[in-house]
Amino acid sequence: MARVSQAHLDARRRQILDGAARCFARKGFHGTSMQDVLHEVGLSAGAVYRYFSGKDDLIAAIAGEAVGSVRQAFEEAARVSPPPTPDVLIGRVTRTLFSGEGRGMDRRAYAGLIVQVWSETLRSERLATTLGEVYEGLRLAWAELVEVYREAGILAAGVPSDHLARTLIATAQGFIVQLAMFGDTAPEVLENGLRGLMSMDLQKIS
């Protein structure tokens, strides 16, 4: 019997994950059955269960990829030297994250899937642990970036780096939520809004 290549196994796993993600985006995690997934990917139960033990396993895998893509987008945007200002940085993050269609979904559907992942952490200790680890790594990495701003003399010393890092992350999260709920936003909107806030002359209102 011919041995199945790793490339074939990886492609089949990708096919299952992408199909499941489309189902979850349409019907939600709890509204989707394994039969829905089987129908979407056009495979037998045996073929799917070879890779995933069930729906919770699929959710965990998709959640890991979704939050991983957010972290990767942040890290790629922050890798430029010298680092861009926050407005440009957040713009790059959101453009990278939503560049093109992923898994056969449009930008709004993919944003909705990410929001579902976040909400699922409220009931799943497994997902909460995964997302917590990713968030912690992301927060620390961005706190280091804030220190680079400070060393360059473009950021005041008064605000803790961790507070600024959390605010930058929250800004990107808010963009994803708006895109998922309303579908009427774009990276340019976020970038321009941040640039406008950064240009405020606080001395005139103090």
Side-chain angles (χ1 to χ4, degrees), residues 3-167:
R3 184 175 179 176
V4 178
S5 70
Q6 187 61 47
H8 174 81
L9 294 173
D10 291 344
R12 181 53 56 86
R13 185 178 188 276
R14 180 78 272 147
Q15 176 188 355
I16 296 168
L17 279 177
D18 289 352
R22 291 192 297 270
C23 286
F24 293 145
R26 286 197 303 267
K27 302 179 67 174
F29 287 142
H30 303 292
T32 298
S33 68
M34 282 303 291
Q35 279 301 122
D36 293 328
V37 175
L38 297 178
H39 183 267
E40 179 75 21
V41 300
L43 295 173
S44 67
V48 171
Y49 285 113
R50 177 181 182 181
Y51 297 87
F52 302 97
S53 63
K55 192 169 73 169
D56 284 347
D57 204 21
L58 277 168
I59 292 172
I62 289 172
E65 287 194 344
V67 297
S69 65
V70 173
R71 180 172 182 171
Q72 182 179 2
F74 270 101
E75 290 175 346
E76 288 179 357
R79 204 170 287 142
V80 180
S81 183
T85 53
D87 56 324
V88 175
L89 194 60
I90 294 294
R92 287 181 182 174
V93 167
T94 51
R95 286 189 184 90
T96 299
L97 190 57
F98 296 103
S99 59
E101 296 183 355
R103 300 185 176 92
M105 293 181 281
D106 60 22
R107 294 190 317 143
R108 184 174 185 180
Y110 185 53
L113 182 65
I114 293 174
V115 172
Q116 283 194 70
V117 166
W118 292 339
S119 65
E120 193 69 7
T121 64
L122 300 178
R123 77 162 198 93
S124 169
E125 185 176 344
R126 178 182 179 183
L127 290 186
T129 299
T130 298
L131 265 69
E133 291 173 353
V134 171
Y135 176 77
E136 181 67 11
L138 187 60
R139 185 179 61 81
L140 292 175
W142 273 54
E144 291 178 5
L145 179 64
V146 171
E147 286 302 316
V148 174
Y149 289 147
R150 212 185 303 278
E151 290 170 5
I154 59 175
L155 183 65
V159 181
S161 299
D162 178 67
H163 294 187
L164 291 169
R166 289 174 183 269
T167 300

